[in-house]
Amino acid sequence: MERNETELMLRGYGLTTAEFYYRMPDFQSVLNSFVWQDYDLAPDYPRLFKFIEFWQDEIEGPLHSVRFTHRKMIAPGEWRNVVGEFKVH
């Protein structure tokens, strides 16, 4: 079941951005890069490691290195349920 981004953030997911450096299959001395983004759970990063396994199994270009960052967009203390709203002129 696909969840929307807000639901994922409220469940503790954060935006993970990874930059993959890999060697071209025909030109091993050439490095290329690929950027990947998804919502993932720190510190285990199951989606990132699943994608790395997919890359190693299915993509011909061998990985040289992976650099990633993770940012929670909503922390538990930053969100609260508001029932009403008062407007002041």
Side-chain angles (χ1 to χ4, degrees):
M1 181 171 80
E2 187 64 31
R3 302 185 192 278
N4 69 33
E5 295 174 359
T6 305
E7 287 178 7
L8 289 173
M9 288 187 285
L10 291 173
R11 293 180 183 267
Y13 284 76
L15 186 63
T16 302
T17 304
E19 187 171 15
F20 293 84
Y21 292 98
Y22 63 97
R23 298 194 183 277
M24 298 295 289
D26 296 335
F27 303 98
Q28 290 292 312
S29 61
V30 176
L31 281 178
N32 204 354
S33 66
F34 175 79
V35 176
W36 173 89
Q37 277 190 327
D38 201 355
Y39 287 92
D40 210 350
L41 284 170
D44 295 331
Y45 303 103
R47 291 183 180 185
L48 174 61
F49 287 115
K50 184 177 179 181
F51 183 77
I52 290 173
E53 289 176 9
F54 167 78
W55 186 291
Q56 292 173 336
D57 293 342
E58 303 293 330
I59 307 293
E60 291 183 18
L63 286 174
H64 175 270
S65 59
V66 178
R67 188 172 66 164
F68 71 95
T69 184
H70 178 83
R71 170 78 167 106
K72 278 191 166 184
M73 306 303 262
I74 297 176
E78 295 176 359
W79 185 86
R80 61 189 173 96
N81 187 16
V82 177
V83 180
E85 181 178 342
F86 294 100
K87 293 186 179 184
V88 179
H89 297 308

